[in-house]
Structures are given as structure tokens and as C-alpha cells.
Amino acid sequence: MTSRSSFSGPWRACTVAVVSLSLMSVSACTGGGAPPPGSSPSDSQSPAASTTPSNTPTPTAAYKPADASGRAQNVPVPVLPEAAKAETKEGAIAFAKHWYTLLNYAYQTGEFRLMDEVTDSSCRLCAKVRPGIVEWNSEGRWIAGGLVQAKGAYTNFVKTSQGSYQVTTQLEQSAGTLYRPDSSVEKSVPPSQVLADIMILRFSDGRWIAMDVDRIGA
């Protein structure tokens, strides 16, 4: 299967604050002993109502995608789906799709720690995209758009003699823009045509690891 991408130049290397509120409690005093005989109801002391702190959830700052005004803010940290924790056909597909959410996270933040935790250093696509992502998330530069969406994934789930599996993923990449520190545009590109990647992955020590990812037809 041959795929085409309109991303070139700097894009060739780029495929793909929590607000806390304190709770205030109000303590109240209750009255003393019984009123003396003959006293009127108005002479007695009524207990004051007590207030119990509510379990109000702490709100999180809203995610703001990158645009012409600046880089992405409060980018949600991708969470590994439960399905991606099992050595099954469904688990392999779920992990492959999750991997691209980690790539998008790196794309918006310039941080590769999460992706590196589940990716082998021999990954070819990673070596291609990392320099561009790092460059365009440093020294005041940023990337708007250009995120990758996994539209589908397939595997026959046959384990090789090396203990690995193969997943083919169909992708789309949104239109994107590279911004310089002064907010001027370095390059804008339209959305990509359909892309396809092959991922070689292995289940080891109870988790999936992407051993290699590469573009079909690139």
C-alpha cells in the first residue's frame, strides 16, 4: 500500500495547570445546659447550624489547542486504555492507537518522556520525527494543528519467532502551521492524504513496547 503526504521540509520530521480550590469549613458552637425553670423560649440558647465541608471536585484548567496566538496549553496527559494492557489482538490494536496519542502529546508539548517509556530506541519513525518536534517546540516556536488521528488498525496477531507482533495503522494528519517566536508563519500545510504505518510491538513484563514504527511507502 502506497501513501502520500503533503508534509515536507520541517514537516517531514513532524508526522504526527491545574487550578486548585481550597475548601473552607465553618465550625459552630452549640448551647450549654438546660435553661432554668420558668425561663421563656426566647431566653434559651438555640444550637447553631454546623456546616460540613463538601466534597467538591477540584476543577482542572481547560485544554487550549495551539493557534496563531500561542502554543497549546494544559494538554491532557494520555491515559493507557485498559484494553491495551493485555496480550491479545484487541490489546495490540488498542496500544497502537494509544501510541499515536503519545506522539500527539509530544507534538504539542515537545516532551517525549511518555512516548520513550513505551518505545524502543530502534524506532525509525521516532528518529525521523523527533528532531523536528523538538526544534519547533523550543526557543519560542510552536506547532498548531498537524495532529495525527488513527482511523483504523489491523493485525493478524501472529507471534513471530522473535516474540513480536505487527499492527498496520491507517492515519490522517490535520492541517498544521509552524510558528516562529514572533508569531509569524514559517510554513502552513493542508491536511494529509491517508497515511499508513507498520508497528512492530512486543509484550514484555506485562506491557506492550513499540519496537519499531515506520511509514508505508515513505
Side-chain angles (χ1 to χ4, degrees), residues 161-195:
S161 57
Q162 291 78 33
S164 60
Y165 301 88
Q166 177 177 298
V167 175
T168 302
T169 308
Q170 181 180 344
L171 310 162
E172 289 182 0
Q173 188 169 23
S174 65
T177 305
L178 302 176
Y179 286 96
R180 303 187 188 98
D182 62 359
S183 299
S184 61
V185 174
E186 167 73 19
K187 187 177 183 66
S188 293
V189 294
S192 73
Q193 299 181 18
V194 176
L195 308 171

Side-chain angles (χ1 to χ4, degrees), residues 142-163:
W142 73 92
I143 304 169
L147 302 182
V148 176
Q149 182 179 8
K151 306 296 291 185
Y154 170 79
T155 178
N156 56 14
F157 203 64
V158 174
K159 196 171 187 176
T160 68
S161 57
Q162 291 78 33

Side-chain angles (χ1 to χ4, degrees), residues 98-130:
H98 171 70
W99 190 87
Y100 288 96
T101 69
L102 300 178
L103 178 59
N104 284 337
Y105 182 80
Y107 210 4
Q108 297 179 88
T109 65
E111 298 177 10
F112 279 87
R113 179 180 58 82
L114 296 176
M115 189 173 165
D116 289 343
E117 289 176 354
V118 295
T119 308
D120 191 78
S121 59
S122 63
C123 172
R124 284 174 287 181
L125 181 62
C126 310
K128 295 175 183 177
V129 304
R130 185 185 294 259

